[in-house]
Amino acid sequence: MFAYILKRLLLMLPTLLGVLLVTFVVIQFVPGGPVEQYLAEAKAGAGGASAEGGGLSYRGAQGIDPRRLDEIKKLYGFDKPAPERFAQMLGQFARFDLGRSFFQNKDVWQLIKEKMPVSISLGLWTFFISYLISVPLGVAKAVRAGSRFDLVTTLLVLVGYAIPGFVLGVALLVIFGGQLAWFPLRGLTSANFDELSLGGKVVDYLWHITLPVTAMVLGSFAVTAMLTKNSFLEEIRKQYVLTARAKGLSERQVLWKHVFRNALIPIVTGFPAAFIGAFFTGSLLIETLFSLDGLGLLSYESVIRRDYPVVLGTLFLFTLIGLVTKLISDLCYVWVDPRVKFD
């Protein structure tokens, strides 16, 4: 076990290096970098050339003092060659120093901490609601396999899975936020949130979170529900279930005492990845659509503004979390089923 964990930890290093290297090389060729963004905004503020398109219309440093241009490049670290900047970045990341934002004048760690509560809020609701509904639904479908209930729920689940979360979010906003005006169109809380009582804060928070969580949750039902159903069906057909029934155990005892534990192995081992994934995947479009100031929106704005420290810092952090989560998921196999041997 120790040798396996050590091997996996060592394999994380080249994976992280490869992800960062590819991203760093790509952004060297992306037009409209931080220097151009700064100059375009400065010109626009001075009534000069337009900064239309986020600075992508910039065509050189016409009219800019060369010394001023050199100072700006030095400010952003672009006075050094790319290999030196990449090596410096790796040194910072090795110390878990994610750098400082070019445009927000804050440490990347500080920005992540500020945006994390929104993403955690969305992720926790999405994760728990998905599993609390889809696992019992999968068990019910397995017990009633082939029935009308199974066919109808399968159809509904697959239709929900086929609808992209962003499209569903737009529909929810138009219908329930616009036409019916039952729910707010944006934000996680109301403007007077601090003035509300404790009960009022809870109601206000749930009122705001309903539409975005619904848009994120609906598509995640299908995979977990169908995986649960198929796992239960596979276990129900095994010999030990027939033996338990022959001994006179009730169907409830057979299902929940014997089948349930074995059938949930693929579900339980996927908990870590699903738990972390609920925070960092699928929330970009939802956060942008509902104007929720979370990690997804931060990443999107950083890419648009070419805020490279935020882009690379968050990429490093999320990739590292993903690799560690994958390792934990694999270790869960041994925890759930001691028969599994990594060697």
Side-chain angles (χ1 to χ4, degrees):
M1 174 70 75
F2 177 77
Y4 175 80
I5 296 176
L6 180 60
K7 180 180 178 181
R8 289 290 298 273
L9 291 176
L10 292 177
L11 287 174
M12 291 181 185
L13 297 178
T15 303
L16 274 174
L17 181 62
V19 170
L20 293 175
L21 178 61
V22 170
T23 307
F24 185 85
V25 170
V26 168
I27 65 177
Q28 303 306 309
F29 301 97
V30 176
V35 175
E36 289 82 356
Q37 293 264 355
Y38 179 89
L39 294 176
E41 291 178 2
K43 283 186 175 183
S50 172
E52 183 181 356
L56 297 181
S57 60
Y58 174 77
R59 297 184 178 181
Q62 296 95 334
I64 301 296
D65 185 359
R67 289 181 298 179
R68 176 59 176 167
L69 183 60
D70 291 339
E71 292 176 359
I72 297 174
K73 289 183 177 180
K74 185 176 181 180
L75 175 66
Y76 291 129
F78 287 94
D79 58 325
K80 303 174 183 177
E84 183 178 348
R85 286 188 280 119
F86 182 70
Q88 181 180 358
M89 181 191 70
L90 292 181
Q92 290 179 336
F93 287 173
R95 303 189 304 270
F96 285 91
D97 177 9
L98 301 184
R100 194 173 185 84
S101 170
F102 286 156
F103 298 102
Q104 302 192 47
N105 196 28
K106 292 181 179 179
D107 290 335
V108 176
W109 274 115
Q110 183 180 351
L111 287 173
I112 293 176
K113 291 178 182 178
E114 291 176 356
K115 314 299 183 182
M116 186 72 78
V118 174
S119 296
I120 289 179
S121 181
L122 288 174
L124 285 176
W125 282 111
T126 301
F127 175 79
F128 285 116
I129 292 177
S130 298
Y131 272 86
L132 287 176
I133 295 179
S134 56
V135 171
L137 177 62
V139 175
K141 288 171 63 62
V143 174
R144 300 172 178 84
S147 65
R148 180 178 298 179
F149 171 81
D150 183 29
L151 296 176
V152 172
T153 53
T154 298
L155 178 62
L156 294 177
V157 166
L158 293 180
V159 169
Y161 181 72
I163 300 176
F166 181 76
V167 175
L168 178 61
V170 172
L172 292 175
L173 271 180
V174 172
I175 298 174
F176 296 102
Q179 295 179 354
L180 299 177
W182 289 355
F183 295 96
L185 295 175
R186 56 182 299 162
L188 201 59
T189 56
S190 299
N192 62 336
F193 181 78
D194 294 333
E195 302 173 3
L196 300 175
S197 62
L198 179 59
K201 290 181 178 179
V202 172
V203 172
D204 182 75
Y205 167 74
L206 294 177
W207 184 47
H208 282 75
I209 205 71
T210 299
L211 293 185
V213 168
T214 302
M216 292 182 64
V217 161
L218 195 60
S220 61
F221 282 160
V223 176
T224 308
M226 299 307 293
L227 179 60
T228 304
K229 173 192 172 182
N230 294 333
S231 298
F232 266 78
L233 287 177
E234 182 180 355
E235 293 297 325
I236 288 174
R237 299 188 182 104
K238 290 186 176 179
Q239 185 64 40
Y240 74 89
V241 176
L242 297 176
T243 303
R245 287 171 176 167
K247 290 182 177 180
L249 295 180
S250 66
E251 194 65 23
R252 180 180 294 272
Q253 288 178 313
V254 172
L255 181 63
W256 297 105
K257 187 176 180 180
H258 295 277
V259 177
F260 187 75
R261 179 180 178 182
N262 294 323
L264 280 189
I265 289 178
I267 309 298
V268 173
T269 52
F271 271 8
F275 187 73
I276 299 299
F279 299 150
F280 304 118
T281 60
S283 61
L284 166 59
L285 295 177
I286 299 300
E287 289 181 9
T288 304
L289 179 63
F290 290 92
S291 300
L292 301 176
D293 195 11
L295 292 174
L297 189 59
L298 172 66
S299 301
Y300 172 76
E301 292 177 345
S302 301
V303 171
I304 294 299
R305 300 197 67 184
R306 309 296 192 267
D307 199 345
Y308 294 149
V310 179
V311 173
L312 292 169
T314 53
L315 177 68
F316 167 76
L317 180 62
F318 296 165
T319 304
L320 181 61
I321 292 175
L323 292 172
V324 173
T325 303
K326 182 61 178 176
L327 174 60
I328 296 175
S329 297
D330 292 342
L331 296 178
C332 283
Y333 278 102
V334 176
W335 175 66
V336 175
D337 187 357
R339 296 172 297 179
V340 176
K341 303 296 181 182
F342 287 118
D343 53 357

